[in-house]
Amino acid sequence: MTISFEGQVAIVTGAGNGLGKSHAMELGKRGAKVVVNDFGGARDGTGGALGPAEAVAQEIIDAGGEAMANGANVANYADCEAMVADAVSKWGRVDILINNAGILRDKSFGKMEMSDWNSVVDVHLNGSANCSRAVWNQMKEQNYGRILMTTSTSGIYGNFGQANYGAAKLGLVGLMNTLCIEGAKNNIQVNCLSPTAATRMTEDIMTEDMLEKLQPELVTPAAVFLVSKDAPNHTVMFAGAGTYATMQISESAGLNLAPEDRTADGVAANFDKISDMSQPDVFYSGTEHVVKAVQMAQ
């Protein structure tokens, strides 16, 4: 099987460097017309220039593809709307959105200014929501869309000094969970990618040996698959150093406590049984959990 994007239009945010550039280049190589978005700021989100996006767009064009550079700030919804409008004006549609743009402002929680919290959440979580909302109704009308969120092990498992980043990244899993449900009837598939790669976001927290093994190009195959026509829906995929894995959210079977045990003391006394994960349940909507709770009560 050869995955092709001939006739499709893709937007990749944060595509001026690293992972985003790798994703954009591969999509262009496989026939997609690519909007190369990058605000062009520093790692902490300050500054801004169109140069990085223009350079990547030119690389795609030089390789025989079609591309356009875009400098939208994903944290600004009006910018995202304009970016989508430009793509539709030039190429008639948008089929794929890869939400990759991000910034870092790492500090332990007690030392973190709330401005650093808000800036990181604005780019990662709100920025992904802005771009997704800007393409959503257009995708519904054409009855086709593929959206990829970029989550992180910092959100899924935690990482010291990244409360802002981790909260935003796990928030994207929550966003995916609902968009999967809402987009299903219009063939809009939504997935998450959790990458581990050597980029300017990670260059000062990894050893040289680690960086050599964690090339962005080894993450891109997962991204490309997750936005393809035959992509799954509602999947979180890890990718790094040539290893690929998926995540499943599950809960314990649980225990319906006798009326006399429905106290804090009763929960404490039965905690081991309550948290027993030997026979977990996997659900795909919040309603399914509610049904379980009611059925157990009956």
Side-chain angles (χ1 to χ4, degrees), residues 272-294:
D272 287 347
K273 293 178 181 178
I274 291 169
S275 57
D276 177 10
M277 292 296 293
S278 61
Q279 294 181 299
D281 290 321
V282 178
F283 297 131
Y284 296 97
S285 74
T287 303
E288 293 177 29
H289 169 82
V290 174
V291 170
K292 167 186 170 177
V294 172

Side-chain angles (χ1 to χ4, degrees), residues 55-70:
V56 175
Q58 191 60 51
E59 280 192 55
I60 294 171
I61 293 167
D62 291 345
E66 293 186 62
M68 61 187 287
N70 178 275

Side-chain angles (χ1 to χ4, degrees), residues 133-146:
R133 178 61 178 79
V135 301
W136 191 257
N137 288 330
Q138 187 266 152
M139 287 181 171
K140 284 181 66 177
E141 289 169 10
Q142 69 191 21
N143 215 45
Y144 185 91
R146 298 291 183 265

Side-chain angles (χ1 to χ4, degrees), residues 126-195:
N126 295 337
S128 296
N130 286 338
C131 292
S132 299
R133 178 61 178 79
V135 301
W136 191 257
N137 288 330
Q138 187 266 152
M139 287 181 171
K140 284 181 66 177
E141 289 169 10
Q142 69 191 21
N143 215 45
Y144 185 91
R146 298 291 183 265
I147 297 175
L148 184 64
M149 311 293 181
T150 304
T151 185
S152 170
T153 54
S154 293
I156 295 165
Y157 300 119
N159 206 25
F160 186 90
Q162 294 194 316
N164 49 4
Y165 180 79
K169 286 304 195 183
L170 194 56
L172 290 169
V173 177
L175 178 59
M176 173 198 73
N177 288 340
T178 290
L179 294 189
C180 287
I181 297 168
E182 294 187 6
K185 65 182 179 182
N186 293 109
N187 193 23
I188 302 174
Q189 313 274 71
V190 188
N191 296 293
C192 280
L193 175 67
S194 180

Side-chain angles (χ1 to χ4, degrees), residues 172-246:
L172 290 169
V173 177
L175 178 59
M176 173 198 73
N177 288 340
T178 290
L179 294 189
C180 287
I181 297 168
E182 294 187 6
K185 65 182 179 182
N186 293 109
N187 193 23
I188 302 174
Q189 313 274 71
V190 188
N191 296 293
C192 280
L193 175 67
S194 180
T196 304
T199 69
R200 66 177 184 161
M201 298 274 278
T202 58
E203 62 189 3
D204 57 358
I205 60 173
M206 294 182 181
T207 66
E208 283 296 322
D209 183 57
M210 292 170 69
L211 293 171
E212 285 178 14
K213 291 180 173 64
L214 292 167
Q215 296 305 308
E217 291 77 15
L218 297 176
V219 171
T220 292
V224 168
F225 167 67
L226 290 172
V227 296
S228 67
K229 289 179 181 177
D230 295 323
N233 196 25
H234 207 174
T235 293
V236 178
M237 183 174 285
F238 300 91
T243 296
Y244 307 89
T246 59

